[in-house]
Amino acid sequence: MAMTTGDLKSDDLEKYRTELTGYCYRMLGSAFEAEDAVQDTMVRAWRSLDSFEGRSSLRSWLYRIATNVCLDSLNAGNRRARPMDLTDPTPVAQARLNERPEITWLEPVPDGRVLPSVADPAETAVSRETVRLAFVAALQHLPPKQRAVLILREVLAWKASEVAELLGLTVASVNSALQRARATISEQAPATSDAADPLDEEQKALLDRYVAAFEGYDMQALTALLHEDATMSMPPYDLWLRGHEDIVGWMLGVGEVCRGSKLVPTVANGQPAFAHYHPDPEGGYAPWALIVLQLNDGKIGGMDFFLDTKRWFPLFELPERLEA
């Protein structure tokens, strides 16, 4: 029996909030813009309930509204980027912290905001893989409608006919857009990460060793945990490093200020992450960065240090500071 507008309550809309936020995050690359887009979607949906006649599912109707909100946003602004999308890696001897205020950076997101609880392990794995930073960065290279087609078809497993109806396209146009989007994503070759939901014993041990090495500032131990071609970035600076030698060189140079730090575990973008607290001259530890790790083949392949802690720590519900 179809649901009518008289049957609908706000809770009927709210149960889709997390999956819609995940969809909008993949589209927009920003946790805050995604939440704003979903809130806008909910308000538009509630105001337009009279136009929902039950011919499509409530979920499809909400996705149509959310897609239009995202497309409007994308038509008005630039794509989001990571430092590695903009420049080549910098040798540590030439490394300088250069902030680019004109660049709109890709943002991290807490898992709980974008990954709804599902019973199917395969579906969970796809959801986590497709909110990872490298994949969302690759999506930013797609035109907005191609981006929507790829997410709806490949991530959410919608039928071509359903996507065509949602976007006002023909099935042939949807299939063509999907083919072009796949080719572009393939060219970007986003780095893959090991499944980490839940962490296996080997991964837990790796992260324990990472914390011990970082907090002890043991660069020999840290080097042993990093892939030879591991990367490190520090948005909002455009600098990024490749190779454990350059990473350790940075840590023992400009990065020396991080000696004596503390790490608190969290999760971001389907990946292990840490809140990084820096020794405070006035005592205790102050927020310094949100570190998102990429694990692959039993080692660490990437470390992204997001330095705007006034934005990230409240979003991830992390302590404002740590006592000594």
Side-chain angles (χ1 to χ4, degrees):
M1 182 176 174
M3 182 181 289
T4 65
T5 56
D7 299 324
L8 287 171
K9 303 179 179 64
S10 60
D11 287 351
D12 295 317
L13 304 182
E14 282 297 322
K15 69 182 182 181
Y16 295 104
R17 182 176 290 272
T18 301
E19 66 171 281
L20 285 169
T21 306
Y23 173 62
C24 293
Y25 174 72
R26 294 177 182 97
M27 287 287 290
L28 302 172
S30 162
F32 296 102
E33 286 187 8
E35 293 197 341
D36 287 347
V38 173
Q39 188 58 32
D40 191 2
T41 297
M42 295 298 183
V43 170
R44 291 191 193 188
W46 192 249
R47 288 176 176 169
S48 306
L49 276 180
D50 289 345
S51 68
F52 175 63
E53 300 172 350
R55 287 197 295 260
S56 62
S57 71
L58 178 62
R59 181 172 181 256
S60 298
W61 186 61
L62 289 172
Y63 269 93
R64 179 179 290 110
I65 298 172
T67 299
N68 288 332
V69 171
C70 289
L71 293 178
D72 287 345
S73 177
L74 290 168
N75 288 334
N78 297 322
R79 68 178 177 89
R80 292 185 172 266
R82 302 175 78 194
M84 44 279 287
D85 296 323
L86 305 174
T87 65
D88 292 328
T90 306
V92 69
Q94 302 167 21
R96 300 288 183 274
L97 291 176
N98 175 41
E99 190 168 350
R100 289 202 192 184
E102 79 280 7
I103 297 298
T104 309
W105 298 106
L106 183 68
E107 297 179 353
V109 69
D111 283 14
R113 301 289 183 103
V114 294
L115 296 176
S117 299
V118 294
D120 183 354
E123 190 175 336
T124 300
V126 169
S127 294
R128 291 175 68 86
E129 185 66 37
T130 57
V131 294
R132 292 191 174 153
L133 291 167
F135 185 82
V136 178
L139 288 174
Q140 305 302 301
H141 292 269
L142 299 176
K145 279 203 173 180
Q146 277 188 33
R147 200 179 305 179
V149 168
L150 184 82
I151 297 167
L152 291 165
R153 290 282 285 121
E154 301 277 270
V155 179
L156 301 175
W158 284 39
K159 297 176 182 176
S161 57
E162 295 171 329
V163 177
E165 182 180 356
L166 184 145
L167 294 174
L169 301 171
T170 64
V171 170
S173 295
V174 167
N175 289 334
S176 176
L178 178 60
Q179 190 173 8
R180 294 196 303 274
R182 282 173 174 164
T184 300
I185 293 291
S186 178
E187 289 171 5
Q188 297 306 316
T192 58
S193 301
D194 293 343
D197 182 30
L199 293 166
D200 61 29
E201 293 305 314
E202 184 180 346
Q203 290 168 330
K204 290 176 184 176
L206 173 63
L207 294 177
D208 287 344
R209 294 199 302 274
Y210 177 79
V211 171
F214 198 100
E215 291 186 346
Y217 229 66
D218 183 341
M219 292 300 107
Q220 185 174 351
L222 182 64
T223 298
L225 304 177
L226 299 175
H227 280 289
E228 191 173 339
D229 61 350
T231 62
M232 175 178 168
S233 71
M234 291 165 280
Y237 300 109
D238 62 4
L239 171 72
W240 68 284
L241 305 167
R242 170 175 280 150
H244 53 55
E245 289 187 7
D246 277 351
I247 291 172
V248 168
W250 174 267
M251 299 284 280
L252 292 175
V254 177
E256 182 77 22
V257 295
C258 292
R259 187 182 290 274
S261 294
K262 296 292 183 185
L263 300 184
V264 174
T266 184
V267 288
N269 295 82
Q271 298 166 283
F274 290 95
H276 174 192
Y277 292 86
H278 190 268
D280 190 331
E282 298 181 3
Y285 300 86
W288 188 258
L290 176 75
I291 309 173
V292 184
L293 299 182
Q294 173 196 321
L295 307 185
N296 54 292
D297 298 329
K299 287 192 173 185
I300 294 167
M303 300 185 292
D304 293 297
F305 288 70
F306 291 92
L307 301 179
D308 191 357
T309 56
K310 289 182 179 179
R311 285 167 66 81
W312 309 131
F313 276 44
L315 180 68
F316 282 78
E317 300 179 357
L318 293 163
E320 290 184 12
R321 60 182 293 108
L322 299 180
E323 298 308 320

